[in-house]
Amino acid sequence: MPKVTVDGVEIEVPQGATVLQACELAGKEIPRFCYHERLSIAGNCRMCLVEVSPGPPKPQASCALPAAENQVIRTDTPMVKKAREGVMEFLLINHPLDCPICDQGGECDLQDQAMAYGRGTSRFDENKRAVEARYMGPVIKTAMTRCIQCTRCIRFADEVAGTPEIGMLYRGEDSQITAYLEKALTSELSGNLADLCPVGALLQRPASFELRPWELKKVPAIDVMDAVGSNIRLDVRQRQVMRVLPRINEDVNEEWISDKTRHHVDALVRGRLDRPWVRENGKLREAGWPEALALFADRLTGAGAKVAAIAGDLVDAETMYAAKALLAGQGSALLEGRQTGLDYDVTSIAAVAFNSTIAGIEGADAILLVGTNPRWEAPLINTRLRKAVRKGAKVFAIGPQVDLGFKLTWLGDDLSLIGNLPKVAADAFAAAAKPALILGPGGLARGAMGAALVAVGSLGLIKDGWNGFNVLHTAASRMAGLLLGYAQSGGIADVQKAKPELVISLGADEVSPDRFAGAFTVYIGHHGDKGAGQADLVLPGAAYAEKHGTFVNTEGRVQRSERATFPPGDARDDWTILRAVSELIGKPLPFDRFDQLRAAMHADTPALARDGLIDLPWSPPKLDAKASGTVAYPIADFYLTNAIARASPTMHRCSEELIHGIAFMEAAE
């Protein structure tokens, strides 16, 4: 490890580190615009200038200069100060004075660094140039006059998202950044461009002119739009969640989130259930809580043990545990969370987990995708697969061909290929040090789990310190539900065969309406979506942003989300509804507060009491290894996969424009 001296302090830095990274290790702040830790080095803003010896007697760009043995680096000399002031002066030559009306105001790197490193005046008084705004789709709004050509957006689209649709035109003062043919960006990660942009050139279109950062309260939470469990921050003004931003978690989402995660928040104040509803003569009418709970209790008492609970994709572990405890008091264990009919074996939780871990899949050198479209099912796992490919991994896929944003070999869409891989794939796995298989919902739906488990041995997926067998779930509640027993051996079909008289739907909006046609259905949820339309009794619950909750992601990582605001109107936390009805039937649940509920859940399911990855011993079941038939992906529209997304105007606009190709005209501003 090279030893360098930074402002008189000698430190050791990792081999291959840059001078900028060495300065940061020494605790020195280095201004930058083009440099970003997760993108390739461009070295074109020149804001990170430092003085280095031995070397030429002039400032040097620290982001592009490797740290070497016995280097002496100075970050605070008069030469460095003057150079940075000069760079800032150049950057501001054409930058407009938009700060009072710019949505980036208060969070702008250019503002902050101009104050810290710039001059008090400018020597340039020429007219500023103006650049026409470019259209980049329903998520990103542009004000390209503010652009300083740092090229972060270009590098992100090319290197992380895998959709190289942004580039630079012309040269010198005429340089402009634009989307290809000014078409909408097709990436599911395009909202991250606004986070990356160090000025107000790229902004979040749905949040335009809606908020100022100093108005907002910041609350940590966990994303429920998929099973990745991205760490997010909910920014709240009064009682409304105004925006979602990513939190850094190197093991899960790094610092990215998908557009669905970022822009579904406008649905949290639309289409909400805010009072109970009772169905009479085929139509729903408003009701009060006393009437609704009395009806619920009466039906629950009459059903006895013939009661079932179906968990939706967005529900938290505490709510599922409370429903399980309520059913246990009735003598029922009819619990299921796989709404769409999946019935894969769950006798071993390790056999249905993402065992390589989300971060670990980057190290795989041969990967087989079976019945999965990770770009839509888990965009943040797709970015990891792209990183693996850039490191040299060979990827093969069984399923209908889709654009995943990286190079791979499609083997076909017949599941019988799992046990009979073509020679090119078999050779790649034979030579791999860390082979991996990812079984998606398309493969699970066709009974491919047995064949995939047999492939563990034939492909050498398990080695010392490495487990390459992975199942990719799409529901945020799935892993916690499996830990809590929300799985019948035959899936939801077993619940249907039991002919329950009462079905408690915990936000289960994807259940086919003919499943429980003869049962009395109680829907506890937050949006008036499909589940509410089928229910006999609708009880308004809380969305994920309005309650504390525990979630377990697809790799078995336990994470906790905090309450950011409160449910609207007469809506209540889901578990309190179940606690209230248990009191009415004379079998009160043994908790009155949320902390008591969580403690009881931890006592019954110790795995949920820990933070981080659950220890899942590998003990796969023996299943029928025969797999045949063609694969179909379950997600037909990335932007409209759940009740919250379907209530979002932004998600509908994204679906119409990016999935269905409907063109939207831009109004002049």
Side-chain angles (χ1 to χ4, degrees), residues 9 11 36 52 141 143 181 192 254 299 388 404 473 567 648:
V9 179
I11 61 169
H36 192 277
V52 180
K141 177 184 178 182
L181 297 180
N192 294 289
E254 299 181 291
R299 290 285 186 167
L404 297 182
H473 297 295
S648 166

Side-chain angles (χ1 to χ4, degrees), residues 102-113:
C102 178
D103 282 321
Q104 197 80 352
E107 296 177 325
C108 177
D109 291 348
L110 189 64
Q111 271 186 338
D112 296 341
Q113 293 184 39

Side-chain angles (χ1 to χ4, degrees), residues 2-39:
K3 290 183 178 179
V4 301
T5 302
V6 180
D7 290 345
V9 179
E10 186 176 81
I11 61 169
E12 284 190 351
V13 298
Q15 192 67 41
T18 64
V19 169
L20 187 149
Q21 291 168 328
C23 293
E24 291 191 331
L25 286 173
K28 301 296 180 181
E29 180 181 359
I30 303 296
R32 83 289 298 270
F33 292 113
C34 68
Y35 176 79
H36 192 277
E37 293 82 355
R38 303 185 197 278
L39 304 177

Side-chain angles (χ1 to χ4, degrees), residues 2 60 70 80 99 171 290 321 356 380 386 411 418 422 484 487 489 524 553 581 628 641 662:
Q60 299 189 62
N70 296 325
V80 170
C99 301
R171 301 175 66 185
Y321 177 78
S356 297
L380 276 306
R386 178 168 171 77
L411 304 179
I418 299 174
L484 289 167
S489 59
I524 302 175
N553 74 354
V581 78
S628 61
T641 54
I662 298 175

Side-chain angles (χ1 to χ4, degrees), residues 376-397:
W376 279 10
E377 293 161 7
L380 276 306
I381 291 180
N382 200 58
T383 63
R384 303 280 189 168
L385 295 174
R386 178 168 171 77
K387 288 172 75 173
V389 170
R390 296 183 70 193
K391 294 176 183 177
K394 296 180 179 178
V395 182
F396 306 89

Side-chain angles (χ1 to χ4, degrees), residues 39 153-165 186-190 192-193 256 375 379 382-383 386 390 403-406:
L39 304 177
C153 53
I154 297 174
R155 285 174 283 147
F156 175 85
D158 186 29
E159 298 166 11
V160 178
T163 52
E165 300 169 332
T186 60
S187 171
E188 295 77 20
L189 303 170
S190 59
N192 294 289
L193 294 173
W256 320 122
R375 182 169 168 180
N382 200 58
T383 63
R386 178 168 171 77
R390 296 183 70 193
D403 179 12
L404 297 182
F406 53 82

